[in-house]
Amino acid sequence: MPNKLKRYITIDPAIKGGTPVISGTRVSVAEIIDLLKGQHFVDEIIGNLKQEGVIVTNEEIFAALEYAKYSSLDEAKTPKRSK
């Protein structure tokens, strides 16, 4: 993970089993990506999370998106093991 993302994304085995989340929340990167895929706007995501008592920023949403991009690139570079 690029250093600039470390302030926004946390990976901790004690939080959601090590699933990457927005720092200070239990909102996973995957949840953000799913919402964006579902054609939700960033402001809408932020507003819905705020109603649930979770405060996230535009920067955190975009960091989640950037993290997903990097993790996909990392997976693509990793050779698959044959069974």
Side-chain angles (χ1 to χ4, degrees), residues 1-69:
M1 171 174 22
N3 284 334
K4 67 181 180 178
L5 296 181
K6 289 183 179 178
R7 67 188 279 201
Y8 299 112
I9 305 298
T10 301
I11 301 171
D12 181 343
I15 301 170
K16 288 192 131 178
T19 299
V21 297
I22 294 177
S23 298
T25 75
R26 296 183 60 80
V27 178
S28 72
V29 169
E31 290 172 286
I32 296 298
I33 299 307
D34 286 345
L35 290 168
L36 291 168
K37 282 182 181 177
Q39 300 185 0
H40 294 274
F41 293 104
V42 171
D43 291 340
E44 182 182 1
I45 294 168
I46 291 170
N48 289 342
L49 289 171
K50 187 175 183 178
Q51 287 179 347
E52 295 174 20
V54 180
I55 304 300
V56 297
T57 65
N58 286 343
E59 292 85 7
E60 291 168 326
I61 299 290
F62 289 112
L65 184 59
E66 190 169 351
Y67 176 84
K69 178 181 81 169

Side-chain angles (χ1 to χ4, degrees), residues 63-77:
L65 184 59
E66 190 169 351
Y67 176 84
K69 178 181 81 169
Y70 279 106
S71 64
S72 293
L73 290 174
D74 288 344
E75 290 173 13
K77 292 178 189 175

